[in-house]
Amino acid sequence: MELIITEKDNAARRIADILSEGGASTERSGGVNVYKWGGRRCVGLSGHVVGVDFPPEYSDWRDVEPAELAYAPVTKTPTQESIVNVLQRLAGEADSAVIATDYDREGELIGKEAYELVREANEDAPISRVRFSSITENEVKSAFADPDDLDFDLAAAGEARQIVDLIWGAALTRFLSLSARQVGDDFISVGRVQSPTLKLIVDKEREIEAFDPEDYWELFADLTKDETTFEAQYFYLDEDDTEAERVWNEEDAEAAFDTLRNAASAVVETVRRRTRTDDPPAPFNTTQFIRAAGSLGYGAGRAMSIAEDLYTAGYITYPRTDNTVYPDDLDPADLLEALGAEREFADSVSLLQDLEELEATRGENETTDHPPIHPTPDLPDRADLSEDEWEIYELVVRRFFATLAEPAKWEHLRVVADAEGASVKANGRRLLDEGYHAVYPYFSTDENYVPDVEEGEELAVSDPRMEAKQTQPPRRYGQSRLIETMESMGIGTKSTRHNTIEKLYDRGYIEGDPPKPTRLAMAVVEATEEYADLVVSEEMTAELEADMTAIAEGEKTLEEVTEESRDILDRIFDELAESREEIGEHLRESLKADKRLGECPECGEDLLVRRSRHGSFFVGCDGYPDCRFTLPLPSTGEPVVLDSACEEHGLNEVKMLAGRNTFVHGCPLCAAEEAAETEDRVIGPCPECGEEHGGELAIRKLQSGSRLVGCTRYPDCEYSLPLPRRGDIEITDEFCEEHDLPKLVVHDEGDDEPWELGCPICNYEEYRARQGLDSIEGIGSKTKEKLAGAGVESIADLREADADAVAEDVEGVSAERVREWQAKVD
């Protein structure tokens, strides 16, 4: 029996389907899918099924000094025991094994882990390696027809990264967390790649905070030829004899404005026409793909998650690549022919097929592992993809089209005129030939019309205007620009950069998009800069990345690189040891600053956002237990303290982060006082205790800011129904025949029409009925069917589901995607 091992279950399912030509059957073994046909068995891993860690005696944070981890031994243990058990059982029965994991450093390491597990169970079976860049019939069959050997050097490079990241992350995380007395779920996370990335974000924020705006003025006027009016801008020649539009002195601006205001006409001095070629873009590598997806509103992590699903389904090539040059064996004409079968692409394909020659653009990077990201000949059924998946798929397809298209051509017209001594200019542009824009509509093709004029021609001047402006601070890094900067500085790899950003969000170091550092992030960077700057040094991180590349190329060994890294970390702890107390105090103060709202109205100590033992958030006094003043916070979302403050109480306002349902709660004390002053409005009998105990339903305002219809006998009767947070609620004279309750109408300033909520019981029952899986963005009818086959048929099922198990059972759905859906319904 031949055993085939892939990186994930959905890849195993597809490869089995290709090699068996649709004849593979599925059996469950220990909760793991095994695909079988003829003398072959195929099983998917779940990424790494073996993890690196320290021995158990190093696990107690309080008994083991963080510095000891620098030279602590590292062990490997199974992290997915059910998969490991099934793999080894099958390996024991196998005559041979084939590793078919992704072809990159991480995939090679996962393949090596599988290799070692097979060897433990079967010492004699030959083990080969197959590599492909897309999971299509042609590539998969070609790869299996010409197997190779595992690249142990490439795998060792991935293993070195694992070990170095474990040692650095664990040792420094423990040191900072213990110094700040911040343990448990809220520990302070530090990482070899994470920390230099965070410093980039913090440095940019420092630039913004240090920025001192300057005043300047810009002047405009309208010029008219015949009945055509166009805008012109005032300019002057500066000290370097170059054109300048910004006037930095208000008196000079006023003088120029007076000249424009008194000018009745302007004489055209120069007219310059030129044609500019707009070259099509290079093929997608990972960084440029993330940048393009970012312009469509997709964060880096989300874009890569979708791309990986499309790759696994066989629709695009491997999305982790540095390459920007198509391989010689790619036939653009054949691929165009296949893509033309999709009605939405047919017109674009026809345009490209009409070209005399198909010659693809070439980027600067040419590698030999994976091609640039491009579509495969296997077209998806659009109904099988969510809207997000189709949008990303179309982006990849159209980028491929663009690389085959001709350049666009623009005509530029520049007009300079003299308005009674004031120079003005107008720049027009017109698209002469769409070129690649006809098939790639993601770049702007806006035109600016300026009519044909001749030198010496007199134009009417009207509507002069002067605009006072200020210079703007530098922009924060968007996710895609941050990844580009990381790439240019050698921080991380194409496979890890987007995950690094996700970790910074998860650990509470950054918020918003573009990402802004929290006060904790600023404090961590400040502390490490002052006491151990190597931790946030991009040079050291880039050097380690280069060392790992040297391992992959056989120039260094895993042992050499990890030992060198341990020595560097040991030197860092020598620097940190003397400043432990100062570092801890600095971090503790910053942790408070991120959670501080203002003064407690009862004792004057700080009010802080706190978390209860049950996980809910509230506002509590830092003077506890002497002062027990508290304020509730909404149960939905995670609180973030805003810079804006309440004018009445002086407390900072709070925003609740809850995905698409994020909202500003405002001042918690205002919400509590408003609730206390709002009288309950009784609307009818309680359906649970009204007959027996006389309970009544009332519209109630809670101190947390929420509203509900609840029983007046609370807490003896907990019956309640949710109500919207915003808007005035009107109790109408129309009653529900079934529940004998008045119908409600919500009047919200933000809505054009009032919301007829109706009977609150009926409304809630209808809401529950609507909460099927297809109410979640990204779950279409096809995906809903697949989820049902895995036992996930309702919102409740989804909440309780194991994301990894669902991903293994459902083709084209990753565990990360399942977790995103779960976050939306929590």
Side-chain angles (χ1 to χ4, degrees):
M1 180 263 287
E2 180 183 69
L3 174 61
I4 300 168
I5 305 162
T6 71
E7 193 159 320
K8 296 178 182 177
D9 174 69
N10 46 12
R13 180 185 289 115
R14 178 155 178 80
I15 287 172
D17 189 58
I18 290 170
L19 295 179
S20 69
E21 297 186 346
S25 61
T26 307
E27 68 177 23
R28 294 281 285 175
S29 176
V32 178
N33 289 331
V34 178
Y35 304 96
K36 60 179 185 176
W37 69 101
R40 284 173 156 176
R41 301 290 182 271
C42 186
V43 63
L45 307 176
S46 180
H48 291 284
V49 295
V50 174
V52 293
D53 206 345
F54 300 112
E57 58 266 29
Y58 289 87
S59 61
D60 192 324
W61 284 35
R62 301 201 178 275
D63 286 350
V64 178
E65 277 295 315
E68 294 180 55
L69 298 179
Y71 291 108
V74 173
T75 61
K76 291 184 180 181
T77 54
T79 55
Q80 303 272 347
E81 290 192 9
S82 58
I83 296 177
V84 169
N85 291 338
V86 171
L87 175 61
Q88 293 198 308
R89 178 181 63 77
L90 292 170
E93 303 168 1
D95 301 312
S96 64
V98 181
I99 306 293
T101 50
D102 292 344
Y103 179 31
D104 61 6
R105 190 178 293 176
E106 201 73 11
E108 208 72 12
L109 175 57
I110 292 169
K112 178 176 177 275
E113 293 165 359
Y115 177 98
E116 292 171 344
L117 291 170
V118 171
R119 274 286 166 262
E120 286 179 15
N122 189 328
E123 296 181 357
D124 302 320
I127 304 173
S128 58
R129 171 76 159 110
V130 295
R131 299 181 176 89
F132 39 79
S133 293
S134 62
I135 308 182
T136 58
E137 182 175 349
N138 180 53
E139 280 218 42
V140 169
K141 287 185 175 180
S142 296
F144 274 84
D146 186 24
D148 200 353
D149 295 322
L150 200 68
D151 186 337
F152 287 95
D153 286 337
L154 186 62
E159 190 170 356
R161 178 189 303 283
Q162 263 192 338
I163 293 169
V164 170
D165 285 353
L166 168 70
I167 295 168
W168 278 67
L172 291 169
T173 292
R174 287 195 195 185
F175 178 85
L176 293 183
S177 299
L178 290 169
S179 299
R181 302 181 202 136
Q182 191 79 10
V183 293
D185 291 339
D186 295 325
F187 62 88
I188 298 173
S189 173
V190 185
R192 182 185 61 82
V193 177
Q194 175 182 303
S195 298
T197 303
L198 186 59
K199 184 177 186 301
L200 282 175
I201 299 170
V202 168
D203 282 346
K204 183 63 69 177
E205 198 66 22
R206 288 167 172 165
E207 286 182 48
I208 294 170
E209 291 176 354
F211 181 78
D212 186 14
E214 292 185 69
D215 295 326
Y216 69 93
W217 291 261
E218 288 185 333
L219 292 84
F220 303 88
D222 288 342
L223 303 181
T224 302
K225 175 182 177 177
D226 299 330
E227 295 183 358
T228 302
T229 298
F230 57 100
E231 184 180 72
Q233 183 171 16
Y234 167 80
F235 74 96
Y236 61 97
L237 297 180
D238 63 13
E239 295 175 354
D240 298 324
D241 207 33
T242 57
E243 290 184 6
E245 296 87 21
R246 294 180 176 184
V247 183
W248 299 99
N249 182 289
E250 187 172 9
E251 290 182 2
D252 293 342
E254 290 285 1
F257 182 58
D258 283 341
T259 301
L260 284 178
R261 187 164 45 193
N262 294 323
S265 63
V267 177
V268 176
E269 292 186 327
T270 62
V271 177
R272 190 175 72 196
R273 294 178 179 83
R274 63 186 178 92
T275 300
R276 185 178 67 83
T277 298
D278 176 8
D279 291 326
F284 269 151
N285 62 9
T286 300
T287 301
Q288 292 307 310
F289 162 71
I290 288 173
R291 181 181 185 180
S295 69
L296 299 179
Y298 292 90
R302 177 70 176 136
M304 286 303 294
S305 174
I306 294 173
E308 285 160 9
D309 289 345
L310 293 172
Y311 157 73
T312 304
Y315 303 139
I316 68 172
T317 55
Y318 194 57
R320 301 177 190 272
T321 178
D322 291 322
N323 202 350
T324 54
V325 179
Y326 293 132
D328 293 337
D329 60 359
L330 176 68
D331 189 329
D334 286 350
L335 186 49
L336 278 180
E337 187 71 31
L339 294 168
E342 166 58 49
R343 181 171 54 84
E344 197 152 331
F345 302 142
D347 289 345
S348 296
V349 168
S350 180
L351 281 174
L352 294 170
Q353 288 174 331
D354 288 342
L355 298 176
E356 291 183 7
E357 183 181 9
L358 286 175
E359 183 174 350
T361 58
R362 297 170 63 90
E364 295 179 0
N365 299 324
E366 185 171 10
T367 61
T368 56
D369 51 358
H370 292 287
I373 305 168
H374 66 76
T376 72
D378 294 2
L379 269 65
D381 182 338
R382 184 163 184 177
D384 289 340
L385 301 184
S386 68
E387 288 185 15
D388 288 356
E389 288 169 332
W390 178 263
E391 191 168 26
I392 292 296
Y393 175 69
E394 183 175 8
L395 174 66
V396 172
V397 171
R398 293 199 172 279
R399 183 64 163 228
F400 171 68
F401 289 164
T403 62
L404 301 176
E406 293 186 326
K409 288 187 174 59
W410 291 87
E411 181 186 62
H412 290 258
L413 174 63
R414 171 184 162 86
V415 175
V416 175
D418 178 85
E420 305 293 344
S423 295
V424 293
K425 62 181 178 180
N427 292 299
R429 72 173 197 159
R430 182 164 63 95
L431 188 60
L432 299 176
D433 185 343
E434 278 190 293
Y436 75 91
H437 292 292
V439 296
Y440 191 73
Y442 303 103
F443 293 160
S444 173
T445 54
D446 291 344
E447 298 181 332
N448 183 39
Y449 181 71
V450 172
D452 283 331
V453 295
E454 301 296 333
E455 292 181 6
E457 191 170 349
E458 192 171 295
L459 307 173
V461 177
S462 62
D463 191 22
R465 49 203 178 275
M466 182 172 74
E467 298 178 5
K469 297 183 178 181
Q470 282 189 325
T471 53
Q472 297 299 303
R475 292 182 300 135
R476 294 189 179 102
Y477 290 112
Q479 290 188 38
S480 57
R481 193 158 67 96
L482 178 59
I483 286 173
E484 287 184 78
T485 306
M486 293 168 70
E487 181 182 39
S488 68
M489 300 178 76
I491 300 174
T493 69
K494 59 183 178 291
S495 301
T496 62
R497 292 180 188 114
H498 66 282
N499 289 326
T500 298
I501 296 172
E502 291 298 312
K503 286 179 183 176
L504 294 177
Y505 277 112
D506 291 343
R507 294 308 311 160
Y509 285 141
I510 56 177
E511 59 191 23
D513 192 14
K516 175 186 177 182
T518 60
R519 292 184 183 92
L520 172 60
M522 304 286 279
V524 169
V525 171
E526 287 164 5
T528 49
E529 280 178 329
E530 183 170 353
Y531 301 108
D533 61 347
L534 274 177
V535 175
V536 289
S537 165
E538 70 271 8
E539 289 88 356
M540 188 212 64
T541 298
E543 185 178 326
L544 280 170
E545 295 292 353
D547 284 343
M548 290 170 199
T549 299
I551 295 174
E553 294 173 353
E555 297 171 0
K556 283 191 174 184
T557 66
L558 179 151
E559 291 74 22
E560 288 171 345
V561 171
T562 53
E563 193 62 28
E564 181 183 346
S565 180
R566 288 177 187 270
D567 291 342
I568 294 171
L569 183 59
D570 189 51
R571 293 199 300 272
I572 287 173
F573 272 111
D574 288 341
E575 298 175 15
L576 289 172
E578 299 176 1
S579 310
R580 188 166 192 159
E581 282 304 314
E582 294 97 319
I583 293 170
E585 180 64 25
H586 184 58
L587 292 173
R588 284 193 294 275
E589 282 303 309
S590 297
L591 282 164
K592 274 189 182 180
D594 255 348
K595 301 172 183 176
R596 185 182 293 121
L597 280 77
E599 286 189 6
C600 172
E602 290 193 358
C603 73
E605 291 283 344
D606 288 329
L607 286 183
L608 305 173
V609 171
R610 296 190 180 279
R611 196 172 205 160
S612 74
R613 287 176 297 174
H614 307 294
S616 59
F617 294 97
F618 66 98
V619 175
C621 182
D622 199 32
Y624 178 86
D626 296 328
C627 178
R628 295 177 176 268
F629 181 83
T630 62
L631 292 168
L633 288 173
S635 58
T636 301
E638 186 169 338
V640 171
V641 179
L642 302 176
D643 293 332
S644 55
C646 169
E647 293 183 3
E648 182 178 353
H649 302 111
L651 298 183
N652 287 73
E653 296 183 325
V654 175
K655 177 196 281 188
M656 303 301 296
L657 299 179
R660 287 183 298 170
N661 298 318
T662 292
F663 61 94
V664 175
H665 173 60
C667 168
L669 189 50
C670 283
E673 289 180 353
E674 184 181 346
E677 294 168 2
T678 304
E679 292 185 7
D680 294 348
R681 292 190 286 167
V682 175
I683 61 172
C686 173
E688 287 200 356
C689 72
E691 289 187 11
E692 185 175 354
H693 299 288
E696 294 180 300
L697 291 185
I699 297 173
R700 305 177 62 193
K701 178 88 172 182
L702 305 184
Q703 288 191 351
S704 65
S706 299
R707 294 187 298 191
L708 53 78
V709 170
C711 184
T712 54
R713 294 186 59 251
Y714 178 86
D716 294 324
C717 176
E718 296 185 348
Y719 183 84
S720 67
L721 301 164
L723 287 173
R725 295 181 62 87
R726 298 188 315 173
D728 295 327
I729 298 176
E730 175 191 353
I731 303 172
T732 71
D733 295 332
E734 187 178 354
F735 275 70
C736 169
E737 294 181 1
E738 181 179 357
H739 301 107
D740 196 29
L741 292 176
K743 296 183 179 181
L744 308 180
V745 174
V746 181
H747 299 271
D748 190 350
E749 291 180 3
D751 296 333
D752 294 333
E753 298 289 335
W755 174 22
E756 295 184 4
L757 186 141
C759 165
I761 297 179
C762 290
N763 177 270
Y764 184 62
E765 289 175 351
E766 290 171 6
Y767 166 78
R768 291 293 300 271
R770 288 195 305 270
Q771 293 307 293
L773 292 176
D774 47 10
S775 67
I776 302 171
E777 183 180 350
I779 299 183
S781 58
K782 293 288 185 181
T783 304
K784 183 179 177 182
E785 288 177 16
K786 293 178 183 178
L787 289 170
V792 179
E793 301 184 64
S794 66
I795 297 289
D797 291 339
L798 180 62
R799 283 196 181 98
E800 301 299 322
D802 181 286
D804 292 315
V806 173
E808 290 173 15
D809 287 346
V810 181
E811 183 178 3
V813 172
S814 66
E816 183 179 351
R817 175 74 61 82
V818 176
R819 293 188 185 98
E820 287 176 2
W821 291 336
Q822 288 173 327
K824 290 176 182 178
V825 299
D826 281 345

